[in-house]
Amino acid sequence: MVQITNHMPTAELQALDAAHHMHPFTTQSELAERGARVITRAEGSFIFDSEGNKILDGMAGLWCVNIGYGRQELVDAATRQMAELPYYNTFFMTTHVPAIALSAKLAELAPDHLNHVFYSSSGSEANDTNIRLVRTYWAEKGKPSKSIIISRKNAYHGSTLGGASLGGMGGMHAQGGLPIPDIYHIDQPNWWAEGGDTDPAEFGLERARQLEKAILELGEDRVAAFIAEPVQGAGGVIVPPATYWPEIQRICDKYEILLIADEVICGFGRTGNWFGSETVGWKPDIMTIAKGLSSGYQPIGGSIVSDEIAKVIGNCEFNHGYTYHAHPVAAAVALENLRILDEEGIVTRVRDETGPYLAKKWAEMAEHPMVGEAQIVGMMGSLALTPNKATRAAFKADAGTVGYLCRERCFANNLVMRHVGDRMIISPPLTMTLEEVDLLIERAWKSLDEGMAEAKKQGLWEEG
Ligand code: PXG
């Protein structure tokens, strides 16, 4: 068999990749034509490709490499655990030390009333678990009719049948017959795109009150839970007006429904606290976790569950579980990752130093002629692109056309900055230095300049 290594010519790697590897969220025929960028290694805040480019990773992989690349301690934790106990399960009344230690650590880090962890290998699976958890909870409490879960349009909660159903992405629902029954979506709090002439504070209240309206319309006896990301990530890093968050909590308190905070992106320091719900002032009954839990070094996720839910679920056999639940190697790596985040003060540094520094620089990006709004919470930020800042107009082109041009310029300038429609987004490693923040801003500005020039050249610089 031919050995495929980093040292093969890029074109050969690309051809083999296109021939055999089906990529997620990708038009495979287009990829085959262009060839994928081959990433070969990474260090700190940088990734390297097969052509020798050193690229600043403004997305921390896929919002997950919170402690940055190249931490030997995590390699050592995996090696030790693989040698000692590479696999065992926790079905059938068994357990193992990494599962015990990680659960205890998560209970310590999570808000006081959240002390119980059910594991998965991803955020999607954890949200599938959540659907079954909340429905089983209400059934056990003698209220089986409470099965509807309310979510939001343009939310992202994963790609499994349950996760994609909870999510509010139209393109995902259009494929494969989704959503599954008893999932209901309200509008998102995206003032920039949907606020019209409404004052932002008023708009925030109005969007939050859609939750109350939905509960009343569907019936409190039918609604099991509301799920939301503290800050919408994949939807475009949308930071709602300040009035939104407290109103959501008020409504959840008033009605007998559970609040699921999807912390897959916001958790583990991203917003400047251990969990995004702390930043936005929510008291969730369940938190979905993944990504930053292991800084992406191992696939692991889960649901951190309240004492009350764990007690009720504990009365029955919960017929649910994955082969890799609390996988010992993944759990050992996650535990080491949490130790580093904790002992090196990385979360507090985001809150007190890197976050405020990035926020100041990010706000200055709003002075760019193409940027209408610059939003940021901790180390996740977005820029809304527009040809007219005053009217918040969209471009006279399909949504995302100009965003895509800018993303391509970012790549060319050795910066990973994503686009969601015509919003540019960042979510860099939390360990970024201040100099690296400066570099990110410099490359982002240059890329927007070039993207704007290209948009003008292509006749896209017009209001749609
Ligand atoms: N919830 C949230 C809030 C997420 O952001 C998931 C659940 C699902 O996690 P897994 O581990 O199953 O992927 C996510 C994942 C993007 C992008 O393009 C974002 C995610 C995944 C893939 C792509 O921004 N977020």
Side-chain angles (χ1 to χ4, degrees):
M1 194 182 135
V2 187
Q3 220 195 339
I4 298 170
T5 71
N6 270 355
H7 305 293
M8 279 175 82
T10 302
E12 276 181 45
L13 290 169
Q14 288 171 327
L16 280 167
D17 179 69
H20 304 296
H21 172 201
M22 296 174 77
H23 287 242
F25 286 91
T26 298
T27 307
Q28 193 78 15
S29 52
E30 188 189 323
L31 175 124
E33 228 166 79
R34 290 183 47 164
R37 187 177 267 226
V38 182
I39 307 303
T40 51
R41 64 190 182 88
E43 186 62 39
S45 301
F46 293 90
I47 55 174
F48 296 81
D49 71 11
S50 54
E51 295 294 281
N53 292 303
K54 181 180 178 187
I55 307 155
L56 184 61
D57 187 3
M59 285 305 297
L62 208 46
W63 323 75
C64 54
V65 188
N66 289 13
I67 62 164
Y69 298 95
R71 292 299 300 241
Q72 186 61 36
E73 301 92 322
L74 271 63
V75 180
D76 294 342
T79 310
R80 274 197 309 271
Q81 190 56 48
M82 279 205 187
E84 195 170 285
L85 181 71
Y87 177 77
Y88 205 72
N89 66 77
T90 66
F91 292 50
F92 317 122
M93 303 280 175
T94 59
T95 193
H96 51 67
V97 175
I100 299 167
L102 181 60
S103 308
K105 182 68 184 172
L106 286 168
E108 179 197 315
L109 292 174
D112 284 351
H113 63 296
L114 300 179
N115 291 303
H116 312 268
V117 192
F118 196 100
Y119 290 96
S120 64
S121 303
S122 69
S124 303
E125 290 168 331
N127 277 329
D128 277 29
T129 298
N130 291 339
I131 295 173
R132 304 200 63 215
L133 260 179
V134 299
R135 290 178 177 169
T136 307
Y137 169 82
W138 286 117
E140 279 297 306
K141 284 186 65 114
K143 296 182 178 176
S145 68
K146 280 173 84 72
S147 65
I148 296 176
I149 302 173
I150 301 176
S151 179
R152 304 182 297 178
K153 293 176 191 160
N154 200 34
Y156 191 82
H157 297 298
S159 261
T160 49
L161 292 179
S165 295
L166 291 173
M169 302 284 179
M172 293 178 78
H173 290 175
Q175 293 173 332
L178 298 182
I180 59 169
D182 280 359
I183 310 285
Y184 184 91
H185 295 89
I186 59 174
D187 288 323
Q188 62 172 335
N190 183 347
W191 177 80
W192 174 266
E194 300 174 5
D197 295 332
T198 321
D199 167 67
E202 194 50 43
F203 177 79
L205 283 178
E206 188 258 309
R207 285 288 152 107
R209 285 176 188 156
Q210 278 197 15
L211 175 59
E212 188 159 37
K213 207 161 143 257
I215 296 167
L216 294 173
E217 266 171 30
L218 298 163
E220 202 182 325
D221 60 330
R222 290 281 288 116
V223 180
F226 173 61
I227 183 167
E229 304 152 80
V231 181
Q232 276 162 270
V237 185
I238 291 151
V239 184
T243 48
Y244 182 78
W245 287 326
E247 187 66 1
I248 288 284
Q249 183 64 57
R250 180 193 70 75
I251 294 163
C252 288
D253 288 345
K254 181 166 173 191
Y255 301 95
E256 210 188 1
I257 63 163
L258 301 171
L259 173 58
I260 307 169
D262 187 332
E263 298 274 0
V264 169
I265 284 176
C266 294
F268 306 104
R270 176 64 52 202
T271 68
N273 288 296
W274 276 98
F275 298 100
S277 14
E278 297 168 89
T279 303
V280 306
W282 285 351
K283 187 169 181 252
D285 299 286
I286 298 176
M287 295 199 306
T288 319
I289 55 170
K291 295 194 190 270
L293 168 59
S294 66
S295 282
Y297 282 58
Q298 284 283 296
I300 182 166
S303 307
I304 313 184
V305 174
S306 73
D307 296 335
E308 156 70 9
I309 295 177
K311 189 174 96 211
V312 172
I313 294 286
N315 292 330
C316 70
E317 180 178 336
F318 183 43
N319 296 315
H320 181 76
Y322 308 110
T323 300
Y324 298 132
H325 175 112
H327 189 285
V329 179
V333 169
L335 191 63
E336 183 62 7
N337 171 61
L338 297 181
R339 186 192 68 71
I340 291 174
L341 282 174
D342 201 359
E343 288 180 12
E344 294 187 4
I346 293 169
V347 179
T348 30
R349 198 166 154 255
V350 169
R351 191 191 61 204
D352 299 335
E353 192 187 352
T354 335
Y357 186 78
L358 175 62
K360 186 170 154 282
K361 298 273 167 179
W362 198 247
E364 289 165 15
M365 293 290 299
E367 287 160 29
H368 191 280
M370 190 164 47
V371 175
E373 172 189 69
Q375 292 196 310
I376 192 152
V377 177
M379 300 281 277
M380 58 195 291
S382 58
L383 306 171
L385 307 181
T386 176
N388 187 335
K389 294 178 186 233
T391 60
R392 314 202 302 275
F395 293 98
K396 195 176 173 184
D398 288 345
T401 312
V402 175
Y404 180 79
L405 286 180
C406 291
R407 190 199 72 175
E408 292 298 280
R409 295 320 305 153
C410 289
F411 255 134
N413 289 316
N414 285 338
L415 169 68
V416 179
M417 176 160 78
R418 286 262 315 282
H419 80 112
V420 175
D422 291 319
R423 289 179 90 82
M424 304 306 295
I425 57 175
I426 55 158
S427 171
L430 308 183
T431 45
M432 239 186 187
T433 63
L434 302 187
E435 293 73 33
E436 288 166 350
V437 169
D438 289 344
L439 188 64
L440 186 155
I441 297 292
E442 188 189 307
R443 289 184 180 175
W445 189 283
K446 179 167 186 276
S447 304
L448 290 190
D449 275 351
E450 294 172 5
M452 187 172 77
E454 188 59 31
K456 285 182 176 166
K457 202 167 111 195
Q458 294 188 17
L460 304 173
W461 191 260
E462 274 184 66
E463 297 177 33

